[in-house]
Amino acid sequence: MMVIPTIPVCGMALILGIDRFLSMCRAVVNMIGNAVATLVVARWENELDSEGLQRNLVEQGAGKP
């Protein structure tokens, strides 16, 4: 009598393929969340330089390094 059933190879390949894609998505969401949390804490502590932040965002959007 088998206690652990066999897992079909097709099903395992499908799960691993989806998990790889979801892992990349989780990493991107985590990075964005960390960036937002940094801005929130800086604003809460009155350490956020809004003018400098806006200037850097405009420069980066225009393609300037």
Side-chain angles (χ1 to χ4, degrees), residues 34-50 53:
N34 288 345
V36 170
T38 300
L39 292 173
V40 168
V41 170
R43 175 84 186 256
W44 190 5
E45 296 289 328
N46 295 323
E47 294 290 326
L48 184 64
D49 179 16
S50 297
L53 178 63

Side-chain angles (χ1 to χ4, degrees), residues 10-56:
C10 304
M12 188 59 110
L14 180 65
I15 289 172
L16 290 176
I18 291 172
D19 184 58
R20 182 174 178 160
F21 174 72
L22 289 177
S23 177
M24 288 186 271
C25 292
R26 281 190 298 264
V28 169
V29 168
N30 189 22
M31 184 183 69
I32 292 170
N34 288 345
V36 170
T38 300
L39 292 173
V40 168
V41 170
R43 175 84 186 256
W44 190 5
E45 296 289 328
N46 295 323
E47 294 290 326
L48 184 64
D49 179 16
S50 297
E51 293 173 4
L53 178 63
Q54 189 66 27
R55 185 175 53 251
N56 285 333

Side-chain angles (χ1 to χ4, degrees), residues 1-9 12:
M1 181 172 4
M2 292 185 69
V3 177
I4 302 173
T6 56
I7 300 172
V9 176
M12 188 59 110

